[in-house]
Amino acid sequence: MTVSANATTAPDGTNTADKQILGTTAGLGIWMQTPYAATSGVAYTCSVYAKKAEYNNVVLYDGTNGQNKGVMFDLTTGAFVKNLFNAPDSYSSTNVGNGWWRLTITSVSPATTTGSFFIFATPTSTQNNAL
């Protein structure tokens, strides 16, 4: 996967939105948020702005301490498609205009550990196990 910097107009109207470009053999592209220190019982949120290009679906996924909580969103409608593994504690999609969606998941950490959120594009809604 490569990233094309400043490839399109961002939600704030500036030309600063990057585009993920998958290789010819890739089935999906994954971004990982920098690992963070998670405290047991505390809720953590992952939020991203996403816009449909070649792939129609995006997944926000919480892999903290093996809890495996993920949600797939449709980037045409912003609709929830399905959970991957377990459902997060909450999730949402907000239309911010010009084809952009603000997608969010929130999960409560099951332990004091290193937290990890992943974001990945999927070619189809039948993608079940991408990690």
Side-chain angles (χ1 to χ4, degrees):
M1 177 180 82
T2 59
V3 176
S4 176
N6 305 326
T8 191
T9 305
D12 67 359
T14 62
N15 191 41
T16 57
D18 297 344
K19 182 177 181 181
Q20 167 186 319
I21 302 166
L22 302 179
T24 57
T25 59
L28 52 93
I30 299 175
W31 288 292
M32 178 182 175
Q33 177 186 342
T34 302
Y36 59 93
T39 301
S40 180
V42 174
Y44 294 90
T45 298
C46 175
S47 181
V48 64
Y49 289 94
K51 183 175 183 174
K52 181 182 181 213
E54 287 78 16
Y55 283 11
N56 191 52
N57 302 296
V58 68
V59 172
L60 275 64
Y61 176 84
D62 181 3
T64 302
N65 203 44
Q67 64 181 345
N68 301 320
K69 295 180 177 182
V71 172
M72 180 182 290
F73 295 95
D74 179 302
L75 290 176
T76 299
T77 65
F80 164 83
V81 175
K82 65 181 176 180
N83 290 316
L84 271 71
F85 306 105
N86 303 301
D89 295 294
S90 67
Y91 57 88
S92 66
S93 67
T94 303
N95 186 337
V96 295
N98 196 29
W100 286 98
W101 296 93
R102 181 174 182 197
L103 309 173
T104 304
I105 64 169
T106 299
S107 296
V108 175
S109 180
T112 298
T113 186
T114 300
S116 57
F117 282 110
F118 299 86
I119 304 157
F120 56 92
T122 63
T124 70
S125 63
T126 58
Q127 184 74 35
N128 288 315
N129 186 359
L131 299 175

